[in-house]
Amino acid sequence: MNLLNFVAQYPDETSCRVKFKEYRDQQGVVCPHCGGTNHYWKKDKECYECKKCGKRQSLRANTVMHGSQLPFRYWFIAIHLLTSTKKSFSAAELQRQLGHKRYEPIWTLLHKLREIMGKRDEIYSLSGVIELDEGFFSTETPDDEKKKPLKRGRGSQKKSKVLVMAESQPVEGQTTKTGKPRQVGHIKMIVINDLKSATITSLVENNVTKESTIDSDDSTSYVKLKDIVKEHRPQVIPKEEIGKVLPWVHIAISNAKRMLLDIYHDIKPEYLQNYLNEFCYKFNRRYFGENLFDRLMIASVTYKNQFRQYNG
């Protein structure tokens, strides 16, 4: 929805609280004590009470807002901004727009939302023909590496390794509207510690269906992929041809890097995955339009978030 519609629909704290309860009731409330799914709503206490064991939980409990003291409207505004923009929204800018005194709670709010975006995408597996490659994203040098000489290339301490997979169905006899020989589906980006074959194989096995076909270069990191999918088609790819053979993986990497460079400064390696979660979540739902707000709201009431740490 656009900004005017959002303001009209959610003008105050009460309207946001009522709507959040509506979303939660639709998805069902589960008792964290006994697993019961039938609850009373205690209007005087503004909490749920399990019909089976009597355990009570607040409206925020066991959702993305678990433990948060920020107003409901802050969360609604953040979800609106994240889902209505193609790129992203920094915590510093959101803090300025909200007029909130402290940066840390706003930063944590956004990272909680990005984390549940990743959790939502984890339940889906990629299928069909899949492009696979690694990307190297610029991040801060870890504290324990700052005193060591800076390496160059793929092993640099200022680069974080990311496994990138994209559903990429060839279009026979023609090209797509963008002139590409393949039609892109869903993508996944996963931060990895190393490029060992065991690491790559395990992640592919957990995120790709067994009936899939994988196209990649001939890296030794991929030697065991043929054992876990229907077909693996490695090939020697000259550097100047990589964008033609694996077009959508490299478009995704390029667009994600551009988003990060345009909005953020000095991303810490431990938080890179959350930013990539947001990029993939929005890319995979690029045709949802105004429904994207509702989809993220549903995810927000479905997942309890454990992200509570702030380190800058």
Side-chain angles (χ1 to χ4, degrees):
M1 67 185 79
N2 60 41
L3 180 59
L4 294 178
N5 290 339
F6 174 82
V7 173
Q9 190 169 349
Y10 305 110
D12 51 31
E13 180 72 1
T14 300
S15 59
C16 294
R17 184 187 295 268
V18 170
K19 188 63 176 180
F20 190 79
K21 182 179 181 300
E22 182 182 317
Y23 277 111
R24 191 161 189 200
D25 291 342
Q26 289 174 352
Q27 297 305 307
V29 180
V30 178
C31 177
H33 182 68
C34 70
T37 55
N38 295 317
H39 290 76
Y40 301 105
W41 172 249
K42 306 287 289 184
K43 191 173 182 180
D44 57 331
K45 303 291 185 181
E46 295 225 336
C47 68
Y48 293 99
E49 182 177 299
C50 179
K51 292 183 179 180
K52 184 177 180 180
C53 70
K55 177 75 173 180
R56 292 181 180 180
Q57 57 179 309
S58 69
L59 183 57
R60 299 173 185 260
N62 303 301
T63 71
V64 69
M65 298 185 194
H66 190 97
S68 173
Q69 301 300 317
L70 294 175
F72 280 86
R73 198 159 189 248
Y74 277 23
W75 289 89
F76 273 63
I77 290 172
I79 291 173
H80 167 67
L81 291 174
L82 288 178
T83 57
S84 63
T85 56
K86 286 187 176 181
K87 292 188 177 180
S88 186
F89 218 82
S90 70
E93 180 61 21
L94 181 57
Q95 179 197 10
R96 189 179 72 83
Q97 295 288 349
L98 294 174
H100 195 73
K101 292 182 178 180
R102 298 179 61 231
Y103 172 79
E104 292 87 346
I106 305 302
W107 182 91
T108 301
L109 177 157
L110 288 174
H111 274 279
K112 284 185 174 184
L113 290 173
R114 292 177 179 124
E115 190 173 279
I116 65 165
M117 289 178 178
K119 288 185 176 181
R120 199 64 171 178
D121 274 351
E122 282 177 2
I123 66 177
Y124 304 110
S125 296
L126 301 181
S127 61
V129 179
I130 296 168
E131 298 176 24
L132 184 147
D133 206 351
E134 309 103 17
F136 298 87
F137 287 73
S138 296
T139 52
E140 281 188 22
T141 304
D143 292 337
D144 58 348
E145 296 283 343
K146 288 182 178 179
K147 295 182 180 180
K148 300 178 181 179
L150 187 64
K151 300 177 183 177
R152 294 184 178 182
R154 291 156 62 111
S156 173
Q157 300 96 318
K158 292 182 67 65
K159 296 289 184 179
S160 291
K161 307 170 188 67
V162 179
L163 179 65
V164 184
M165 297 170 280
E167 293 176 339
S168 180
Q169 188 65 37
V171 181
E172 295 184 5
Q174 57 181 340
T175 61
T176 63
K177 292 181 180 179
T178 57
K180 300 294 184 298
R182 297 182 176 219
Q183 183 71 45
V184 67
H186 295 86
I187 66 172
K188 289 199 175 194
M189 294 182 170
I190 305 172
V191 178
I192 53 180
N193 294 323
D194 56 64
L195 299 174
K196 295 179 181 178
S197 176
T199 301
I200 302 294
T201 303
S202 176
L203 287 173
V204 171
E205 189 171 19
N206 291 332
N207 289 278
V208 172
T209 62
K210 295 180 180 180
E211 295 76 24
S212 300
T213 297
I214 293 179
D215 289 334
S216 72
D217 60 32
D218 64 340
S219 168
T220 55
S221 300
Y222 308 147
V223 294
K224 295 183 179 179
L225 294 184
K226 64 181 183 298
D227 300 328
I228 60 173
V229 294
K230 178 182 177 181
E231 185 180 7
H232 178 215
R233 302 184 296 204
Q235 54 184 304
V236 178
I237 307 176
K239 187 175 181 179
E240 62 274 10
E241 295 291 321
I242 192 73
K244 297 179 180 179
V245 180
L246 304 174
W248 286 109
V249 154
H250 290 274
I251 287 174
I253 292 173
S254 177
N255 288 348
K257 286 182 177 180
R258 176 52 53 193
M259 180 195 77
L260 298 178
L261 286 172
D262 285 346
I263 300 172
Y264 306 108
H265 303 283
D266 298 328
I267 293 174
K268 291 190 175 183
E270 58 265 37
Y271 302 127
L272 176 61
Q273 184 65 63
N274 284 343
Y275 293 109
L276 296 179
N277 288 346
E278 179 189 353
F279 177 82
C280 292
Y281 184 90
K282 291 161 76 169
F283 183 94
N284 292 338
R285 295 160 181 80
R286 57 197 177 276
Y287 301 123
F288 278 36
E290 293 184 359
N291 292 329
L292 189 55
F293 178 87
D294 290 323
R295 304 313 300 176
L296 187 51
M297 284 300 308
I298 290 172
S300 296
V301 302
T302 304
Y303 295 101
K304 176 182 176 181
N305 203 293
Q306 303 296 329
F307 189 93
R308 294 179 185 154
Q309 184 179 3
Y310 174 79
N311 287 322

